[in-house]
Amino acid sequence: DAGVIQSPRHEVTEMGQEVTLRCKPISGHNSLFWYRQTMMRGLELLIYFNNNVPIDDSGMPEDRFSAKMPNASFSTLKIQPSEPRDSAVYFCASSRAAGNPGGDQPQHFGDGTRLSIL
Amino acid sequence: AQSVTQLDSQVPVFEEAPVELRCNYSSSVSVYLFWYVQYPNQGLQLLLKYLSGSTLVKGINGFEAEFNKSQTSFHLRKPSVHISDTAEYFCAVSGVGGYQKVTFGIGTKLQVIP
């Protein structure tokens, strides 16, 4: 079975540019998560979707970040304008869980997008 | 809200020796507990989970963890490590009931020395 697919794997861009990260969750999974991983702060949840609807976006750092899930098989995380402090590895994860995502269904992670903002 | 503390940022251990990676949590509600492993340039993979029942949980690759409610701990153990176990290990907690997001620890890097 195909896992969670993220693209691109690496992105290097200049400050001020728009960045779009993409995610295809595992077919049949109805929960999708975007995380950011840095050395200083570890793994932080940015936003959680359930059945394509954003449920918790309290982790989105500021208005420069936005996320969409137009259908069950695709999600994007956009940063506009990007800043050097946004440099991190961004992970998308999906699970079957509805309601409580910390339930008995584990989260399946993609391999991440390594983002560098110069 | 929940929080997770992984007490060791790095743990070096010789091959075939036992290892314990420590995890403590805090929560005002009952919890689900997880250990994930991350290999270089990859996402996290589930090692094992505690939902309810037996406090000793066995996972993949020979790992096990014990839930201790009184100590609020969920330490990960393996009796004999292999070079291929070199990776970063994350403890995670989620509250039972309603939407409660998963909170991850900062991670412990296990370095297996030949």
Side-chain angles (χ1 to χ4, degrees):
Chain A
D1 288 341
V4 175
I5 299 172
Q6 291 186 246
S7 64
R9 288 296 313 274
H10 303 273
E11 175 88 12
V12 180
T13 192
E14 292 187 347
M15 182 175 65
Q17 297 298 308
E18 178 179 289
V19 173
T20 299
L21 310 182
R22 297 173 176 79
C23 175
K24 178 179 170 56
I26 293 172
S27 178
H29 284 189
N30 59 354
S31 291
L32 184 137
F33 312 82
W34 282 101
Y35 289 92
R36 178 172 66 179
Q37 186 179 38
T38 61
M39 291 287 289
M40 292 300 294
R41 300 171 69 92
L43 198 64
E44 303 172 279
L45 177 67
L46 299 177
I47 188 168
Y48 155 57
F49 291 89
N50 182 248
N51 291 327
N52 312 336
V53 176
I55 303 300
D56 181 0
D57 65 355
S58 60
M60 294 287 264
E62 47 198 274
D63 292 345
R64 296 185 298 106
F65 285 69
S66 62
K68 294 183 180 179
M69 192 164 187
N71 57 62
S73 59
F74 184 66
S75 177
T76 59
L77 177 68
K78 189 173 292 187
I79 308 173
Q80 166 65 14
S82 58
E83 296 182 4
R85 60 191 168 122
D86 301 330
S87 298
V89 182
Y90 290 81
F91 287 102
C92 176
S94 69
S95 79
R96 293 182 188 278
N100 180 0
D104 60 352
Q105 299 300 319
Q107 295 183 25
H108 298 258
F109 284 74
D111 285 337
T113 295
R114 186 172 296 274
L115 178 63
S116 296
I117 309 297
L118 306 177
Chain B
Q2 292 77 42
S3 68
V4 178
T5 302
Q6 291 185 246
L7 296 165
D8 305 300
S9 60
Q10 293 190 50
V11 173
V13 63
F14 286 104
E15 192 174 16
E16 297 184 5
V19 69
E20 178 180 85
L21 305 183
R22 297 180 292 169
C23 172
N24 287 88
Y25 70 92
S26 68
S27 176
S28 57
V29 300
S30 297
V31 295
Y32 298 130
L33 292 157
F34 308 83
W35 276 99
Y36 285 81
V37 60
Q38 184 179 30
Y39 299 104
N41 299 314
Q42 294 186 24
L44 279 68
Q45 304 171 34
L46 183 71
L47 265 183
L48 49 79
K49 60 188 178 187
Y50 170 79
L51 304 180
S52 64
S54 172
T55 57
L56 184 62
V57 179
K58 294 189 184 296
I60 62 172
N61 300 341
F63 283 92
E64 63 181 31
E66 185 154 20
F67 170 55
N68 187 320
K69 188 173 181 180
S70 62
Q71 303 278 338
T72 61
S73 68
F74 191 54
H75 300 333
L76 181 70
R77 302 185 184 100
K78 186 169 182 177
S80 175
V81 295
H82 190 267
I83 293 289
S84 60
D85 293 323
T86 295
E88 191 157 16
Y89 293 79
F90 293 87
C91 183
V93 63
S94 174
V96 176
Y99 166 63
Q100 305 243 15
K101 71 180 183 183
V102 178
T103 300
F104 288 85
I106 200 72
T108 297
K109 290 183 179 173
L110 175 62
Q111 178 69 42
V112 180
I113 304 164

